């Protein structure tokens, strides 16, 4: 709870989400200071995507509140960028890359106003950042998995938000794209933005992220990687999954070096 | 009838002109709006709305005693709207999926409509024959005031599409992202659904309940094959719809005992078939041609590489081999005569003696390039 | 009850059950709208067969119609395989073409005969008793009854015979395919049943009621159970109830029988939807309300258990501070506290809340689970 007057970028309190009678997320408290690059990890079904979606108002929680920079989320939408999972849209939709990226400006445009040269320029700049300028006119069905991910990232970048939420951005993406994306995220972090990423690969946590939240329906732990990414916490989050443990073992050793 | 006669009639024959205009408007509006239904995987919403409209029409008559087209349309629209609301509610709140919800609401509402129709039938001075016109469509009975109403309502709907263009586009592509941006997606969905209902309802008089589904789905499906841009797709869809509408009206006027509605549907279906087969990028015929050419290229490239390999083994790049050897090595295991002649035409190989083949100078160069490329890949 | 009335009810019941059985699979396999498509498209088969035989009662009509039904399924599949249109669009493209051709053929070649689209779509059960089945000069009952009875038996046989395979391929298509038996055989078999049933039924009740009978009762059953066998039973039952009650209402009010049956099916669905213990509307509303209080109570006791031995307990464990910490509004906080006291989870001394042993064990349970 925010008992001192630190302003957190994201302050989640008592968030509870239920499906029928089963809690999917239970009493989640999570404070994310601004300017960090945080991973959310946990086993399948832990509620990671649900957490992101509840924060963004896509799922109605049974209880709890979300504050962005000390104001309720509903008032701060313009400060929040979202990169959903790639599989959440039909890529056969008749539109091109530039068009999709410009959608990120729709929030700022408001009702009815059409995107113009200003929006176009911002979109091209974002595409430049993700190295997709040459694909601007490409039909989105012709993109590879990594390219699709970059387009979604560019769309979020164009929102010029202060906090970014990403859902499994590295899932099914080639190594080169993964490196490029994490580079961009780290750049965002250096320029003071806050980035929250649902992540699936324990190995890369110490290398990529400075904060981490372990989730399994309840919040297991949350904080700087050095403090929180411990074998004990991982065991608590993942139960007795031995395979994970050996991965985690190496990852932890790396982070302790 | 000569084409000039037809055109003359289109302009000066009251009935043909009215029917053609009505059909054209129907085609434009349902074509344009159908794009959004199809893209959002709600293609069968047209079918559903047209069936659920029936009790609305009956009730409108029962309550007002009037068979004025506008009254019918309002009744149909309200019922269609309520039906769609039920469908969405069922989908969102029960394990029943879209197909089940659509089918059930459609048949139950229509059944209820039948009940009302038979009630009306028993009324002393019922002229309910007019109501059944809505069931099966009777384009030839279209009057100018019907067309005017269609034009106004259809025009308003298209205007809304133009105004809310980016909202509709985003809603159709990524509704969750739209919510995260703060767009009231529920409101936008309601607006889109409303004008879709209107589009279906104004077409009922022309093609009838059963066939209205085609006018929503077909123009959009055809248009999709020709373009990858949403704006072009909407315009093209409207054009296809109008084309089918007018053609159907004209053709059915020229032939005895050819009801207009089904003729329009056959016209638009023909357009769909042509689009699916012959559209440049996506069309099946083009696809097959492209596949064929790609395969041919693979075969000829492989032959060149085989000759190259053999040439290395014999320490002579121009060593000639019988086609039977090449055939055994070929990736196609079939007839390579054609491929060899193809290569010969391009001056990559030459025939030496009876059915012996060797690389030419340019053939050696080409094969070398191919071999390099293969090495790079691995 | 007159004999004719008894016969009509019998036919109605048989039709309802015959439709409900394949309908269950349509719902589960998400191909419900195929029933709508098929029941409209078979008009073409009937017309073609009629033009050939010039006999409305020829069994050839049924065969032709069933084949048209299969043709519809085939065309939809082919269209979908091109990957140029989605599945629902494919359905909406195919059946209007077939129906249109049928209507045009009727208009041009059969206009004088009593085969108008009205009858096709709407059917008329009232006339069914008049088409008798005469065997060796003995009138053994209405033709429809024997026809639909036969179809019902075929449907039943198919489902009983292939119950395991149907179940597997419906709930786990991937596994079924990998196990080697080709799910598409079952798929086409099922669709054939749907076609034949639609053909047989619509002579009596018209296409629309066929759709209602195939989709309505199974949908309602789906709200009551997830077990296949139970679903089949309930669908058949509810279909019969809908059909027979529909008949009596139509009889009493002198309205369309088919329409009345379809409406009753809708009514039954609404009732089930509202009242179903598991998935019904009332049940979920009740559940949501209950959840709200359960969660609130759990949060209260956990909050108290976490803070009770800490220095700031004096402040944090006060009733009026709940608003600040857990961010409940004052009224709600009061209600939760009252409920907690009522359930003997906490007691209050001087404005400070303390956990009882009940409260403490609840907190412990909730933390673990």
């Amino acid at each position: 709870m925010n008992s001192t007057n630190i302003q957190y970028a994201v302050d989640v309190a008592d968030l509870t989400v239920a499906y029928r009678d089963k809690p999917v997320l239970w009493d989640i408290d999570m404070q994310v200071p601004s300017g960090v690059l945080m991973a959310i990890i946990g086993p399948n079904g832990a509620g990671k995507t649900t957490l992101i979606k509840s924060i963004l108002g896509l799922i109605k929680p049974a209880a709890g509140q979300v504050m962005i920079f000390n104001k309720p989320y509903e008032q701060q939408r313009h400060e929040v960028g979202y990169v959903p999972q790639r599989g959440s849209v039909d890529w056969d939709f008749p539109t091109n890359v530039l068009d999709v990226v410009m959608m990120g400006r729709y929030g700022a445009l408001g009702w009815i106003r059409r995107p113009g040269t200003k929006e176009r320029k911002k979109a091209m700049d974002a595409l430049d950042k993700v190295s997709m300028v040459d694909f601007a006119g490409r039909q989105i069905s012709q993109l590879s998995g990594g390219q699709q991910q970059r387009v979604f990232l560019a769309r979020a970048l164009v929102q010029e938000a202060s906090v970014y939420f990403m859902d499994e951005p590295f899932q099914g993406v080639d190594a080169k794209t993964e490196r490029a994306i994490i580079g961009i995220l780290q750049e965002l972090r250096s320029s003071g933005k806050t980035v929250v990423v649902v992540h699936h690969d324990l190995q890369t946590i110490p290398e990529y992220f400075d904060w981490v939240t372990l989730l399994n329906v309840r919040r297991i732990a949350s904080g700087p990687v050095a403090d929180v990414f411990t074998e004990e916490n991982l065991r608590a989050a993942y139960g007795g999954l031995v395979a994970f443990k050996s991965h985690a073992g190496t990852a932890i050793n790396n982070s302790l070096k | 009838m000569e084409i000039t006669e037809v055109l003359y009639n289109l302009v000066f024959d009251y009935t043909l002109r009215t029917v053609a205009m009505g059909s054209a408007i129907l085609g434009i509006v349902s074509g344009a709006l159908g794009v959004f239904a199809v893209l959002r995987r709600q293609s069968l919403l047209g079918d559903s709305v047209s069936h659920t409209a029936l009790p609305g029409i009956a009730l409108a008559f029962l309550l007002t005693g009037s068979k004025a087209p506008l009254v019918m349309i309002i009744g149909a629209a309200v019922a269609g709207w309520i039906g769609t609301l039920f469908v969405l509610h069922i989908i969102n709140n029960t394990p029943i999926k879209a197909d089940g919800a659509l089918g059930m609401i459609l048949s139950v509402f229509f059944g209820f409509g039948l009940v009302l129709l038979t009630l009306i039938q028993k009324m002393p001075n019922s002229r309910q024959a007019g109501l059944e016109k809505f069931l099966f469509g009777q384009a030839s009975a279209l009057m100018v005031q019907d067309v005017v109403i269609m034009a106004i309502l259809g025009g308003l709907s298209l205007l809304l599409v133009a105004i809310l263009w980016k909202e509709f586009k985003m809603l159709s592509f990524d509704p969750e992202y739209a919510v995260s941006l703060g767009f009231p997606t529920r409101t936008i969905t309601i607006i889109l659904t409303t004008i879709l209902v209107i589009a279906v309802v104004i077409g009922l008089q022309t093609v009838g309940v059963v066939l209205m589904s085609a006018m929503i789905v077909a123009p959009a499906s055809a248009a999709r094959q020709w373009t990858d841009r949403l704006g072009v797709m909407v315009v093209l869809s409207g054009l296809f719809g109008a084309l089918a509408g007018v053609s159907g009206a004209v053709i059915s006027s020229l032939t005895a005992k050819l009801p207009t509605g089904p003729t329009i549907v056959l016209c638009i279906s023909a357009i769909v078939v042509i689009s699916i087969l012959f559209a440049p990028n996506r069309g099946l015929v083009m696809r097959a041609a492209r596949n064929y050419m790609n395969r041919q290229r693979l075969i000829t490239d492989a032959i060149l590489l085989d000759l190259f390999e053999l040439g290395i083994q014999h320490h002579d790049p121009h060593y000639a081999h019988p086609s039977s050897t090449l055939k055994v090595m070929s990736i196609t295991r079939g007839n390579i005569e054609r491929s060899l002649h193809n290569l010969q035409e391009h001056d990559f190989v030459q025939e030496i003696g009876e059915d012996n083949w060797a690389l030419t100078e340019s053939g050696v160069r080409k094969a070398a390039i191919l071999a390099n490329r293969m090495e790079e890949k691995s | 009850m007159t004999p004719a009335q008894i016969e009509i009810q019998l036919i109605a019941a048989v039709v309802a059950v015959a439709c409900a059985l394949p309908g269950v699979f349509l719902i589960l396999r998400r191909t419900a709208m195929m029933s709508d498509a098929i029941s409209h498209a078979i008009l073409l088969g009937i017309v073609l067969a009629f033009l050939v035989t010039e006999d409305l009662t020829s069994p050839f009509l049924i065969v032709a119609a069933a084949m048209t039904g299969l043709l519809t399924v085939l065309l939809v599949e082919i269209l979908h395989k091109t990957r140029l249109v989605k599945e629902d669009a494919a359905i909406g493209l195919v059946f209007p073409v077939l129906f249109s051709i049928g209507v045009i053929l009727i208009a041009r070649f059969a206009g004088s005969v009593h085969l108008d689209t009205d009858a096709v779509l709407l059917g008329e059960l009232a006339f069914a008793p008049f088409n008798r089945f005469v065997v060796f000069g003995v009138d053994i009952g209405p033709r429809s009854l024997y026809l639909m009875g036969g179809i019902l038996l075929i449907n039943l046989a198919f489902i009983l015979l292939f119950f395991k395979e149907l179940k597997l391929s419906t709930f786990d298509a991937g596994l079924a395919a990998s196990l080697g038996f080709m799910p598409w055989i079952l798929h086409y078999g099922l669709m054939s049943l749907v076609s034949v049933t639609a053909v047989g039924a619509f002579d009596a009740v018209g296409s629309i009621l066929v759709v209602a009978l195939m989709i309505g009762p199974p949908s309602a059953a789906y709200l009551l159970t997830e077990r296949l066998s139970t679903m089949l039973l309930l669908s058949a039952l509810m279909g019969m109830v809908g059909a027979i009650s529909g008949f009596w209402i139509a009889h009493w009010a002198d309205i369309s029988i088919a329409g009345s049956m379809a409406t009753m099916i809708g009514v039954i669905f609404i009732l089930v939807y509202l009242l179903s213990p598991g998935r019904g509307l009332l049940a979920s509303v009740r559940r949501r309300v209950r959840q709200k209080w359960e969660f609130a109570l759990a949060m209260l006791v956990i909050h108290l258990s976490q803070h009770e031995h800490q220095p700031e307990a004096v402040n944090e464990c006060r009733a009026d501070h709940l608003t600040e910490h857990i961010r409940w509004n004052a009224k709600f906080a009061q209600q939760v506290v009252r409920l907690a006291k009522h359930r003997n989870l906490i007691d209050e001394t001087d404005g400070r809340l303390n956990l009882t042993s009940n409260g403490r064990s609840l907190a412990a349970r909730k933390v673990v689970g």
Side-chain angles (χ1 to χ4, degrees):
Chain A
M1 163 63 187
N2 189 11
S3 46
T4 64
N5 252 336
I6 312 176
Q7 193 193 58
Y8 289 110
V10 184
D11 189 352
V12 177
D14 309 318
L15 190 68
T16 303
V17 178
Y19 177 67
R20 305 258 190 93
D21 259 331
K22 262 191 14 188
V24 178
L25 283 177
W26 220 107
D27 198 20
I28 305 288
D29 285 318
M30 188 177 78
Q31 286 92 34
V32 187
S34 70
V36 307
L37 181 47
M38 185 178 90
I40 298 183
I41 57 174
N44 281 334
K48 311 190 287 289
T49 298
T50 311
L51 177 58
I52 302 276
K53 288 197 176 173
S54 323
I55 294 177
L56 294 169
L58 298 167
I59 295 182
K60 199 158 181 297
Q65 264 195 23
V66 176
M67 304 284 233
I68 307 284
F69 295 117
N70 277 356
K71 288 219 202 83
Y73 169 71
E74 290 74 28
Q75 296 173 14
Q76 298 276 60
R77 284 191 195 268
H78 53 280
E79 297 282 8
V80 177
Y82 178 36
V83 182
Q85 288 188 13
R86 266 187 304 120
S88 62
V89 299
D90 176 12
W91 291 89
D92 196 34
F93 195 86
T95 186
N96 61 28
V97 165
L98 184 63
D99 225 15
V100 173
V101 176
M102 282 208 284
M103 286 187 191
R105 294 304 301 164
Y106 282 9
L109 285 171
W111 283 93
I112 298 178
R113 276 178 59 205
R114 301 278 188 96
T117 27
K118 201 165 53 129
E119 284 73 29
R120 214 165 189 278
K121 171 120 190 354
K122 294 196 190 207
M124 292 300 280
D125 287 344
L127 282 174
D128 189 33
K129 256 189 243 159
V130 300
S131 315
M132 290 275 290
V133 174
D134 294 332
F135 289 80
R138 191 77 58 98
Q139 161 67 11
I140 58 178
S141 61
Q142 297 168 3
L143 299 178
S144 71
Q147 291 165 342
Q148 288 173 350
Q149 196 60 61
R150 293 187 211 221
V151 170
F152 265 8
L153 181 55
R155 181 176 70 172
L157 288 176
V158 129
Q159 288 180 257
E160 289 169 357
S162 317
V163 183
Y164 291 92
F165 288 95
M166 303 190 188
D167 199 348
E168 308 235 13
F170 304 116
Q171 186 74 270
V173 145
D174 57 280
K176 186 162 144 235
T177 304
E178 179 164 329
R179 280 196 294 279
I181 291 183
I182 198 64
I184 296 173
L185 297 188
Q186 283 168 341
E187 240 183 76
L188 283 174
R189 191 257 321 266
S190 316
S191 55
K193 315 281 187 197
T194 314
V195 183
V196 177
V197 178
V198 171
H199 196 58
H200 67 282
D201 181 13
L202 291 175
Q203 287 277 45
T204 46
I205 300 270
E207 186 191 337
Y208 290 171
F209 299 97
D210 21 274
W211 271 54
V212 69
T213 296
L214 290 101
L215 197 64
N216 191 348
V217 182
R218 314 206 63 224
R219 178 194 108 154
I220 306 296
S222 178
V225 168
D227 303 337
V228 160
F229 196 62
T230 63
E231 191 153 333
E232 187 186 326
N233 281 336
L234 280 166
R235 211 177 309 132
Y238 285 85
L241 297 167
V242 180
F244 275 116
K245 226 164 102 181
S246 55
H247 268 280
T250 350
I252 294 172
N253 286 335
N254 283 337
S255 71
L256 291 178
K257 284 196 191 137
Chain B
M1 257 204 189
E2 291 237 4
I3 189 94
T4 41
E5 261 189 273
V6 170
L7 287 174
Y8 182 86
N9 278 341
L10 258 177
V11 176
F12 291 109
D13 178 314
Y14 173 83
T15 313
L16 181 58
R17 184 177 66 214
T18 316
V19 172
M21 277 193 47
S23 310
I25 294 176
L26 154 67
I28 295 176
V29 177
S30 63
L33 285 162
V35 168
F36 296 101
V38 169
L39 288 176
R40 298 181 70 216
R41 314 276 188 115
Q42 294 182 341
S43 301
L44 291 170
L45 201 58
D47 198 25
S48 173
V49 171
S50 61
H51 282 88
T52 57
L54 180 63
I57 297 170
L59 271 175
F61 176 72
L62 275 173
L63 291 177
T64 67
S66 149
K67 277 196 302 169
L70 194 55
V71 172
M72 302 282 105
I73 286 180
I74 294 180
V78 169
W81 213 102
I82 295 180
T84 307
L85 220 66
F86 280 7
V87 169
L88 289 175
H89 185 76
I90 292 179
I91 296 178
N92 290 331
N93 294 309
T94 71
I96 298 172
K97 302 293 182 305
D99 62 313
L102 282 170
M104 191 175 60
I105 294 294
L106 165 175
S107 54
V108 167
F109 268 61
F110 192 80
F112 183 56
L114 288 182
V115 167
L116 292 176
L117 272 187
T118 48
L119 271 175
I120 293 176
Q121 217 166 11
K122 296 189 319 176
M123 284 167 54
N125 62 332
S126 81
R127 296 106 65 215
Q128 90 21 344
L131 293 178
E132 277 181 2
K133 176 173 83 174
F134 265 82
L135 267 185
F136 302 109
Q138 220 172 1
S140 44
L142 275 180
M143 315 264 277
V144 170
Q145 60 255 46
D146 299 325
V147 176
V148 167
I149 293 176
M150 287 169 76
I152 295 179
L153 288 175
L156 282 173
S157 306
L158 291 177
L159 190 63
L160 267 174
V161 169
I163 294 178
L164 291 176
W165 179 255
K166 76 170 195 291
E167 282 77 9
F168 287 164
K169 175 158 67 169
M170 189 161 56
L171 182 72
S172 308
F173 177 60
D174 197 348
E176 284 198 331
Y177 186 69
V179 172
S180 83
L181 283 182
F183 274 94
T185 29
R186 206 128 60 119
T187 313
I188 303 177
T189 309
I190 289 178
I191 299 177
L192 183 57
T193 308
T194 306
I195 56 182
L196 210 61
V197 168
I198 292 179
V200 171
V201 162
I202 65 178
L204 283 180
Q205 303 171 69
T206 312
V207 292
V209 165
V210 178
L211 300 174
M212 198 52 215
S213 143
M215 298 312 292
I216 292 282
V217 179
S221 301
R224 180 69 184 90
Q225 313 311 324
W226 297 91
T227 177
D228 283 331
R229 297 178 47 197
L230 187 60
V232 178
M233 185 174 166
V234 170
V235 170
L236 209 53
S237 183
L239 277 172
F240 282 159
L243 184 61
V246 174
S247 315
V250 168
I251 295 177
S252 88
S253 78
L254 293 179
T255 330
K257 296 206 277 183
L258 202 62
T260 314
T263 315
I264 296 178
V265 170
L266 288 182
C267 288
I268 192 64
S269 303
I271 295 180
V272 171
V273 170
I274 293 176
S275 305
I276 288 184
L277 289 178
F278 298 113
N281 246 342
R282 288 164 66 114
L284 293 178
V285 166
M286 292 304 291
R287 227 198 257 172
R290 260 200 313 268
N291 284 346
Y292 176 76
M293 290 201 298
N294 279 343
R295 189 156 164 72
Q296 285 307 309
R297 196 168 45 83
L298 276 173
I299 297 176
T300 51
D301 282 356
I303 294 179
L304 283 177
L305 282 170
D306 288 341
L307 279 172
F308 196 65
E309 266 296 322
L310 289 170
I312 292 179
Q313 287 176 19
H314 289 271
H315 303 290
D316 170 16
H318 300 289
Y319 198 92
H321 299 270
S323 69
S324 45
T325 317
L326 295 170
K327 184 162 164 182
V328 166
M329 296 172 74
S330 165
I331 57 177
T332 175
R333 219 85 52 106
N335 205 328
I336 58 170
E337 290 271 322
R338 196 172 1 153
S339 310
L340 284 170
H341 280 112
N342 192 335
L343 285 168
Q344 187 178 41
E345 260 170 53
H346 285 101
D347 196 33
F348 287 141
V349 303
Q350 53 187 347
E351 190 172 4
I352 305 200
E354 184 73 40
D355 200 31
N356 279 326
W357 300 86
L359 289 172
T360 62
E361 269 308 318
S362 42
V364 172
R365 277 198 299 272
K366 174 106 169 102
I369 297 177
L370 287 174
N372 267 344
R373 234 186 270 158
M374 285 207 58
E375 277 221 11
E376 268 176 26
K377 277 213 198 126
S378 55
Chain C
M1 260 195 272
T2 72
Q5 284 174 345
I6 296 180
E7 283 176 351
I8 293 182
Q9 286 175 84
L10 220 56
I11 297 175
V14 169
V15 171
V17 176
C19 288
L21 294 179
V24 167
F25 293 100
L26 286 179
I27 288 281
L28 290 173
R29 297 161 84 100
R30 323 223 179 138
T31 49
M33 281 305 263
M34 282 305 288
S35 63
D36 186 49
I38 290 178
S39 64
H40 286 102
I42 52 183
L43 173 68
L44 178 59
I46 292 181
V47 172
L48 283 174
F50 172 72
L51 289 178
V52 168
T53 67
E54 308 220 339
D55 174 14
L56 265 182
T57 58
S58 155
F60 186 45
L61 261 64
I62 297 180
V63 173
M67 292 203 319
T68 324
L70 275 180
L71 178 67
T72 312
V73 178
L74 201 66
L75 288 175
V76 169
E77 206 109 321
I78 293 179
L79 212 50
H80 183 46
K81 282 261 164 60
T82 67
R83 285 178 295 127
L84 295 177
V85 297
K86 304 277 191 294
E87 169 127 46
D88 58 336
I91 295 179
L93 286 171
V94 170
F95 82 83
V97 176
L98 300 177
F99 189 78
S100 297
I101 300 177
V103 172
I104 289 177
L105 286 178
I106 291 181
R108 283 187 75 79
F109 300 115
S112 52
V113 181
H114 185 64
L115 176 67
D116 59 327
T117 27
D118 279 28
V120 163
L121 279 187
L122 313 177
E124 197 40 74
L125 195 46
F127 295 132
F130 294 112
N131 296 331
R132 313 304 292 182
F133 200 16
V134 178
V135 178
F136 305 122
V138 178
D139 173 0
I140 50 177
R143 205 176 69 112
S144 306
L145 184 57
Y146 285 97
L147 181 62
M148 281 318 293
I151 293 179
L152 170 57
L153 287 175
I154 295 178
N155 288 355
L156 207 53
F158 184 84
I159 291 178
L160 286 176
L161 223 62
F162 296 110
F163 191 74
K164 279 204 309 291
E165 288 81 358
L166 279 168
K167 189 164 171 183
L168 188 63
S169 71
T170 300
F171 290 111
D172 196 341
L175 180 58
S178 69
L179 281 182
F181 67 87
M182 295 155 285
W184 61 264
I185 295 185
L186 280 177
H187 176 63
Y188 278 99
L190 209 51
M191 288 303 166
S192 311
L193 286 188
V194 171
S195 298
V196 171
T197 310
V199 173
F202 97 174
D203 183 44
V205 300
S207 346
I208 283 306
L209 188 52
V210 169
V211 178
L213 285 172
M214 280 196 184
I215 301 185
S219 299
Y222 199 23
L223 292 181
L224 291 171
T225 175
E226 269 173 3
R227 292 191 53 209
L228 186 56
S229 38
T230 321
M231 204 168 147
L232 287 165
L233 208 61
L234 284 176
S235 307
L237 229 59
M238 286 193 280
M240 278 198 291
V241 170
I244 296 186
S245 61
F247 167 73
W248 280 108
I249 293 183
H251 176 73
W252 169 74
D254 191 22
I255 51 181
S256 153
I257 299 181
S260 174
M261 289 186 184
T263 310
M264 281 314 293
I265 288 177
V267 168
I268 292 179
F269 179 81
I270 292 179
L271 285 174
V272 172
Y273 173 60
L274 288 175
L275 302 174
S276 159
R279 300 161 167 201
L281 188 62
L282 283 171
S284 9
V285 167
R286 240 186 319 207
R287 187 172 37 225
R288 227 178 329 190
V289 169
R290 188 173 31 97
Q291 264 176 9
K292 190 167 76 149
W293 295 110
E294 298 288 343
F295 287 146
L297 284 177
M299 259 193 277
L300 175 61
V301 295
I302 291 186
H303 169 76
L304 288 178
S305 78
Q306 279 175 348
H307 289 283
E308 65 180 343
H309 299 300
Q310 291 171 337
E312 66 263 21
V314 176
N315 283 329
E316 290 285 347
C317 294
R318 300 187 59 80
D320 35 20
H321 266 259
L322 289 175
T323 3
E324 224 186 273
H325 188 121
I326 308 190
R327 280 179 245 187
W328 289 331
N329 69 43
K331 184 153 165 284
F332 185 68
Q334 259 181 7
Q335 289 171 323
V336 176
V337 167
R338 206 172 4 188
L339 185 60
K341 281 191 202 160
H342 180 74
R343 296 247 189 115
N344 198 10
L345 298 171
I346 62 174
D347 52 50
E348 183 169 2
T349 45
D350 299 325
R352 172 178 162 154
L353 302 171
N354 306 305
L355 281 173
T356 63
S357 54
N358 278 344
R360 214 160 285 134
S361 52
L362 176 64
R365 265 208 317 276
K366 282 299 176 183
V367 169
V368 171

